[in-house]
Amino acid sequence: MAPKRATPFNPQTFLAKVGHGKTLLQARKRQLIFSQGDAADAVFYIQAGQVKLTVVSQQGKEAVVAILERGSFFGESCLAGHLLRLDTATAFGDATLVRLDKGAMIRVLHDQPPFAELFLAHLLAHNIRIQEDLVDQLFNSSEKRLARILLLLSHFGKEGKPEPMIAKLSQETLAEMIGTTRSRVSFFMNKFRKLGFLDYNGGIHVHSSLVNVVLHD
């Protein structure tokens, strides 16, 4: 009798099942997932929805580090030896999350190469995004930074058609993401709308022509 073939490991199936060291969480809009300074003891994966990461300085100034979407990991700094959270994670609308204890995460990375490949791809994309964000902050005006973040949030340049942004994304949040004031964001958003780069129809719809702002010297 021929030996039975083992079922190939599917990272997405693994993440969808609750098991040892793995918990499925349903987070409501604005629900706190962890706070800056909390114990760093788990990695999270977004099955559905979005999560906002923020950092607060010693002077009390808050900055939005990222808005993560479905398929993203966060909280992975615990794997690099960090004992405390470096940022605060909040559900940006309703979200479904998988929480993996640090020990469980290390085991599956060691035992399951397909999962390790998925996680490595996330880390590489995250590292590239950080470098691009740093260059953006150092060399681009607030107008260009706003145009870039709008294009990123609408998935410009990715496979498939661009999508409308989150309907409830406020100008305050955009200001915190690019490091400027809400009034400046309001000024540039009105300018982009008048130029036909975006429109409002139940949300902010970004047109590909907005890339001209990023490319213009």
Side-chain angles (χ1 to χ4, degrees), residues 2 24 34 120 182:
L24 187 66
F34 58 73
L120 179 60
R182 191 206 63 79

Side-chain angles (χ1 to χ4, degrees), residues 21 25 32-45 51-57 65 68 73-90 97-103 105 119 122:
L25 304 175
L32 185 66
I33 300 163
F34 58 73
S35 295
Q36 187 174 335
D38 284 353
D41 55 2
V43 178
F44 293 81
Y45 176 81
V51 170
K52 180 172 70 172
L53 301 181
T54 57
V55 174
V56 178
S57 70
V65 177
L68 304 177
F73 291 90
F74 64 98
E76 64 269 25
S77 62
C78 67
L79 302 177
H82 288 277
L83 301 179
L84 302 177
R85 296 294 185 191
L86 303 177
D87 48 23
T88 294
T90 309
L97 310 172
V98 179
R99 182 187 186 276
L100 298 106
D101 292 343
K102 179 180 177 180
M105 186 71 178
F119 187 64
H122 159 78

Side-chain angles (χ1 to χ4, degrees), residues 2-215:
K4 188 176 181 180
R5 290 186 178 181
T7 303
F9 178 81
N10 186 314
Q12 302 298 338
T13 301
F14 166 79
L15 288 165
K17 294 180 179 178
V18 176
H20 180 63
K22 183 155 53 81
T23 309
L24 187 66
L25 304 175
Q26 298 292 341
R28 305 297 295 176
K29 182 179 180 181
R30 296 193 182 96
Q31 182 176 331
L32 185 66
I33 300 163
F34 58 73
S35 295
Q36 187 174 335
D38 284 353
D41 55 2
V43 178
F44 293 81
Y45 176 81
I46 305 174
Q47 276 195 339
Q50 296 176 313
V51 170
K52 180 172 70 172
L53 301 181
T54 57
V55 174
V56 178
S57 70
Q58 291 184 345
Q59 293 74 33
K61 184 177 180 180
E62 183 178 86
V64 176
V65 177
I67 293 178
L68 304 177
E69 301 184 329
R70 181 175 62 86
S72 298
F73 291 90
F74 64 98
E76 64 269 25
S77 62
C78 67
L79 302 177
H82 288 277
L83 301 179
L84 302 177
R85 296 294 185 191
L86 303 177
D87 48 23
T88 294
T90 309
F92 200 66
D94 295 344
T96 302
L97 310 172
V98 179
R99 182 187 186 276
L100 298 106
D101 292 343
K102 179 180 177 180
M105 186 71 178
I106 292 173
R107 284 195 303 272
V108 74
L109 286 172
H110 181 268
D111 296 339
Q112 301 292 350
F115 183 85
E117 183 178 345
L118 176 73
F119 187 64
L120 179 60
H122 159 78
L123 292 180
L124 291 173
H126 181 61
N127 186 60
I128 292 170
R129 173 66 185 272
I130 289 174
Q131 292 184 36
E132 291 175 345
D133 287 349
L134 179 59
V135 171
D136 194 40
Q137 287 289 339
L138 289 174
F139 298 112
N140 288 335
S141 65
S142 55
E143 181 178 11
K144 281 190 177 183
R145 296 200 303 273
L146 176 60
R148 175 177 172 268
I149 204 66
L150 290 171
L151 289 165
L152 287 171
L153 290 171
S154 65
H155 301 156
F156 176 79
K158 293 186 178 181
E159 293 183 5
K161 295 181 179 179
E163 301 176 10
M165 282 176 48
I166 309 166
K168 299 299 182 181
L169 186 63
S170 68
Q171 292 184 354
E172 287 84 358
T173 298
L174 287 170
E176 291 171 352
M177 293 181 77
I178 66 174
T180 189
T181 62
R182 191 206 63 79
S183 60
R184 293 296 287 169
V185 168
S186 178
F187 173 81
F188 292 131
M189 292 289 281
N190 286 329
K191 177 180 177 180
F192 295 161
R193 182 177 55 80
K194 290 176 181 177
L195 291 172
F197 295 152
L198 57 83
D199 58 70
Y200 300 92
N201 183 19
I204 305 172
H205 293 255
V206 179
H207 303 302
S208 59
S209 55
L210 183 61
V211 75
N212 293 323
V213 176
V214 178
L215 297 177

